[in-house]
mmCIF file of all heavy atoms in Angstrom:
data_model
loop_
_atom_site.group_PDB
_atom_site.id
_atom_site.type_symbol
_atom_site.label_atom_id
_atom_site.label_comp_id
_atom_site.label_asym_id
_atom_site.label_seq_id
_atom_site.Cartn_x
_atom_site.Cartn_y
_atom_site.Cartn_z
ATOM 1 N N LEU C 11 -7.115 -23.889 -2.124
ATOM 2 C CA LEU C 11 -6.879 -25.311 -2.366
ATOM 3 C C LEU C 11 -7.070 -25.622 -3.852
ATOM 4 O O LEU C 11 -7.698 -24.863 -4.580
ATOM 5 C CB LEU C 11 -7.865 -26.169 -1.564
ATOM 6 C CG LEU C 11 -7.845 -26.083 -0.043
ATOM 7 C CD1 LEU C 11 -8.818 -27.112 0.554
ATOM 8 C CD2 LEU C 11 -6.449 -26.312 0.513
ATOM 9 N N VAL C 12 -6.524 -26.772 -4.273
ATOM 10 C CA VAL C 12 -6.807 -27.295 -5.606
ATOM 11 C C VAL C 12 -7.459 -28.659 -5.422
ATOM 12 O O VAL C 12 -6.813 -29.597 -4.930
ATOM 13 C CB VAL C 12 -5.517 -27.440 -6.450
ATOM 14 C CG1 VAL C 12 -5.854 -27.925 -7.862
ATOM 15 C CG2 VAL C 12 -4.755 -26.135 -6.502
ATOM 16 N N GLY C 13 -8.736 -28.756 -5.784
ATOM 17 C CA GLY C 13 -9.442 -30.027 -5.715
ATOM 18 C C GLY C 13 -9.334 -30.760 -7.040
ATOM 19 O O GLY C 13 -9.194 -30.124 -8.087
ATOM 20 N N SER C 14 -9.435 -32.067 -6.998
ATOM 21 C CA SER C 14 -9.237 -32.889 -8.190
ATOM 22 C C SER C 14 -10.350 -33.927 -8.288
ATOM 23 O O SER C 14 -10.853 -34.416 -7.266
ATOM 24 C CB SER C 14 -7.866 -33.567 -8.079
ATOM 25 O OG SER C 14 -7.604 -34.367 -9.187
ATOM 26 N N THR C 18 -16.203 -34.521 -12.776
ATOM 27 C CA THR C 18 -16.742 -33.206 -13.120
ATOM 28 C C THR C 18 -16.047 -32.105 -12.319
ATOM 29 O O THR C 18 -15.378 -32.351 -11.314
ATOM 30 C CB THR C 18 -18.251 -33.094 -12.808
ATOM 31 O OG1 THR C 18 -18.430 -33.229 -11.392
ATOM 32 C CG2 THR C 18 -19.073 -34.116 -13.543
ATOM 33 N N ILE C 19 -16.269 -30.862 -12.789
ATOM 34 C CA ILE C 19 -15.772 -29.683 -12.085
ATOM 35 C C ILE C 19 -16.427 -29.614 -10.709
ATOM 36 O O ILE C 19 -15.761 -29.341 -9.698
ATOM 37 C CB ILE C 19 -16.076 -28.426 -12.925
ATOM 38 C CG1 ILE C 19 -15.243 -28.457 -14.218
ATOM 39 C CG2 ILE C 19 -15.832 -27.154 -12.130
ATOM 40 C CD1 ILE C 19 -15.642 -27.405 -15.243
ATOM 41 N N GLU C 20 -17.727 -29.866 -10.641
ATOM 42 C CA GLU C 20 -18.439 -29.781 -9.368
ATOM 43 C C GLU C 20 -17.863 -30.788 -8.361
ATOM 44 O O GLU C 20 -17.707 -30.481 -7.183
ATOM 45 C CB GLU C 20 -19.941 -30.052 -9.554
ATOM 46 C CG GLU C 20 -20.719 -28.913 -10.208
ATOM 47 C CD GLU C 20 -20.659 -28.949 -11.737
ATOM 48 O OE1 GLU C 20 -19.863 -29.736 -12.300
ATOM 49 O OE2 GLU C 20 -21.424 -28.200 -12.365
ATOM 50 N N ALA C 22 -14.826 -31.959 -8.246
ATOM 51 C CA ALA C 22 -13.506 -31.496 -7.790
ATOM 52 C C ALA C 22 -13.666 -30.460 -6.677
ATOM 53 O O ALA C 22 -12.908 -30.448 -5.704
ATOM 54 C CB ALA C 22 -12.726 -30.914 -8.967
ATOM 55 N N VAL C 23 -14.665 -29.571 -6.822
ATOM 56 C CA VAL C 23 -14.914 -28.572 -5.775
ATOM 57 C C VAL C 23 -15.379 -29.270 -4.502
ATOM 58 O O VAL C 23 -14.887 -28.959 -3.397
ATOM 59 C CB VAL C 23 -15.965 -27.537 -6.248
ATOM 60 C CG1 VAL C 23 -16.326 -26.583 -5.118
ATOM 61 C CG2 VAL C 23 -15.456 -26.767 -7.458
ATOM 62 N N ALA C 26 -12.508 -30.734 -2.635
ATOM 63 C CA ALA C 26 -11.708 -29.739 -1.913
ATOM 64 C C ALA C 26 -12.397 -29.329 -0.620
ATOM 65 O O ALA C 26 -11.756 -29.187 0.434
ATOM 66 C CB ALA C 26 -11.459 -28.519 -2.803
ATOM 67 N N ILE C 42 -14.529 -20.073 -7.026
ATOM 68 C CA ILE C 42 -13.768 -20.851 -8.012
ATOM 69 C C ILE C 42 -12.871 -19.905 -8.796
ATOM 70 O O ILE C 42 -13.340 -18.939 -9.392
ATOM 71 C CB ILE C 42 -14.723 -21.610 -8.955
ATOM 72 C CG1 ILE C 42 -15.517 -22.639 -8.138
ATOM 73 C CG2 ILE C 42 -13.951 -22.277 -10.084
ATOM 74 C CD1 ILE C 42 -16.426 -23.520 -8.955
ATOM 75 N N LEU C 43 -11.555 -20.174 -8.760
ATOM 76 C CA LEU C 43 -10.599 -19.261 -9.376
ATOM 77 C C LEU C 43 -10.142 -19.717 -10.753
ATOM 78 O O LEU C 43 -9.907 -18.904 -11.638
ATOM 79 C CB LEU C 43 -9.349 -19.138 -8.496
ATOM 80 C CG LEU C 43 -9.526 -18.625 -7.082
ATOM 81 C CD1 LEU C 43 -8.166 -18.440 -6.435
ATOM 82 C CD2 LEU C 43 -10.290 -17.320 -7.067
ATOM 83 N N GLU C 44 -9.948 -21.004 -10.944
ATOM 84 C CA GLU C 44 -9.266 -21.475 -12.144
ATOM 85 C C GLU C 44 -9.572 -22.952 -12.329
ATOM 86 O O GLU C 44 -9.609 -23.703 -11.355
ATOM 87 C CB GLU C 44 -7.765 -21.290 -11.917
ATOM 88 C CG GLU C 44 -6.910 -21.448 -13.136
ATOM 89 C CD GLU C 44 -5.446 -21.241 -12.803
ATOM 90 O OE1 GLU C 44 -4.833 -22.175 -12.251
ATOM 91 O OE2 GLU C 44 -4.911 -20.156 -13.101
ATOM 92 N N THR C 45 -9.784 -23.376 -13.578
ATOM 93 C CA THR C 45 -9.993 -24.790 -13.867
ATOM 94 C C THR C 45 -8.983 -25.259 -14.899
ATOM 95 O O THR C 45 -8.810 -24.621 -15.940
ATOM 96 C CB THR C 45 -11.433 -25.040 -14.371
ATOM 97 O OG1 THR C 45 -12.354 -24.557 -13.391
ATOM 98 C CG2 THR C 45 -11.687 -26.517 -14.597
ATOM 99 N N ARG C 46 -8.295 -26.328 -14.594
ATOM 100 C CA ARG C 46 -7.334 -26.962 -15.501
ATOM 101 C C ARG C 46 -7.655 -28.448 -15.582
ATOM 102 O O ARG C 46 -8.346 -28.979 -14.720
ATOM 103 C CB ARG C 46 -5.897 -26.809 -14.973
ATOM 104 C CG ARG C 46 -5.427 -25.388 -14.868
ATOM 105 C CD ARG C 46 -4.124 -25.294 -14.094
ATOM 106 N NE ARG C 46 -3.016 -25.886 -14.812
ATOM 107 C CZ ARG C 46 -2.081 -25.203 -15.473
ATOM 108 N NH1 ARG C 46 -2.125 -23.881 -15.473
ATOM 109 N NH2 ARG C 46 -1.117 -25.820 -16.094
ATOM 110 N N TRP C 57 -10.011 -33.332 -13.549
ATOM 111 C CA TRP C 57 -10.405 -31.933 -13.491
ATOM 112 C C TRP C 57 -9.788 -31.359 -12.224
ATOM 113 O O TRP C 57 -10.020 -31.870 -11.140
ATOM 114 C CB TRP C 57 -11.941 -31.822 -13.461
ATOM 115 C CG TRP C 57 -12.540 -32.423 -14.682
ATOM 116 C CD1 TRP C 57 -12.880 -33.727 -14.876
ATOM 117 C CD2 TRP C 57 -12.802 -31.772 -15.921
ATOM 118 N NE1 TRP C 57 -13.343 -33.926 -16.140
ATOM 119 C CE2 TRP C 57 -13.310 -32.738 -16.812
ATOM 120 C CE3 TRP C 57 -12.659 -30.449 -16.378
ATOM 121 C CZ2 TRP C 57 -13.680 -32.432 -18.119
ATOM 122 C CZ3 TRP C 57 -13.036 -30.141 -17.676
ATOM 123 C CH2 TRP C 57 -13.527 -31.124 -18.536
ATOM 124 N N GLN C 58 -8.974 -30.299 -12.395
ATOM 125 C CA GLN C 58 -8.268 -29.683 -11.263
ATOM 126 C C GLN C 58 -8.773 -28.266 -11.071
ATOM 127 O O GLN C 58 -8.540 -27.410 -11.922
ATOM 128 C CB GLN C 58 -6.762 -29.673 -11.543
ATOM 129 C CG GLN C 58 -6.193 -31.073 -11.752
ATOM 130 C CD GLN C 58 -4.785 -31.034 -12.298
ATOM 131 O OE1 GLN C 58 -4.467 -30.269 -13.192
ATOM 132 N NE2 GLN C 58 -3.930 -31.892 -11.757
ATOM 133 N N VAL C 59 -9.455 -28.018 -9.965
ATOM 134 C CA VAL C 59 -10.124 -26.733 -9.777
ATOM 135 C C VAL C 59 -9.504 -26.011 -8.577
ATOM 136 O O VAL C 59 -9.517 -26.535 -7.459
ATOM 137 C CB VAL C 59 -11.634 -26.927 -9.564
ATOM 138 C CG1 VAL C 59 -12.332 -25.577 -9.495
ATOM 139 C CG2 VAL C 59 -12.224 -27.758 -10.704
ATOM 140 N N THR C 60 -8.947 -24.835 -8.845
ATOM 141 C CA THR C 60 -8.386 -24.010 -7.774
ATOM 142 C C THR C 60 -9.510 -23.196 -7.137
ATOM 143 O O THR C 60 -10.243 -22.503 -7.840
ATOM 144 C CB THR C 60 -7.311 -23.069 -8.331
ATOM 145 O OG1 THR C 60 -6.321 -23.851 -8.990
ATOM 146 C CG2 THR C 60 -6.660 -22.263 -7.216
ATOM 147 N N VAL C 61 -9.646 -23.304 -5.815
ATOM 148 C CA VAL C 61 -10.726 -22.600 -5.111
ATOM 149 C C VAL C 61 -10.173 -21.829 -3.919
ATOM 150 O O VAL C 61 -9.137 -22.183 -3.358
ATOM 151 C CB VAL C 61 -11.790 -23.596 -4.577
ATOM 152 C CG1 VAL C 61 -12.499 -24.280 -5.724
ATOM 153 C CG2 VAL C 61 -11.180 -24.613 -3.629
#
Side-chain angles (χ1 to χ4, degrees):
Chain C
L11 298 185
V12 183
S14 180
T18 64
I19 293 169
E20 286 85 350
V23 174
I42 296 184
L43 300 186
E44 192 180 78
T45 303
R46 298 169 68 102
W57 300 87
Q58 300 168 317
V59 185
T60 304
V61 295

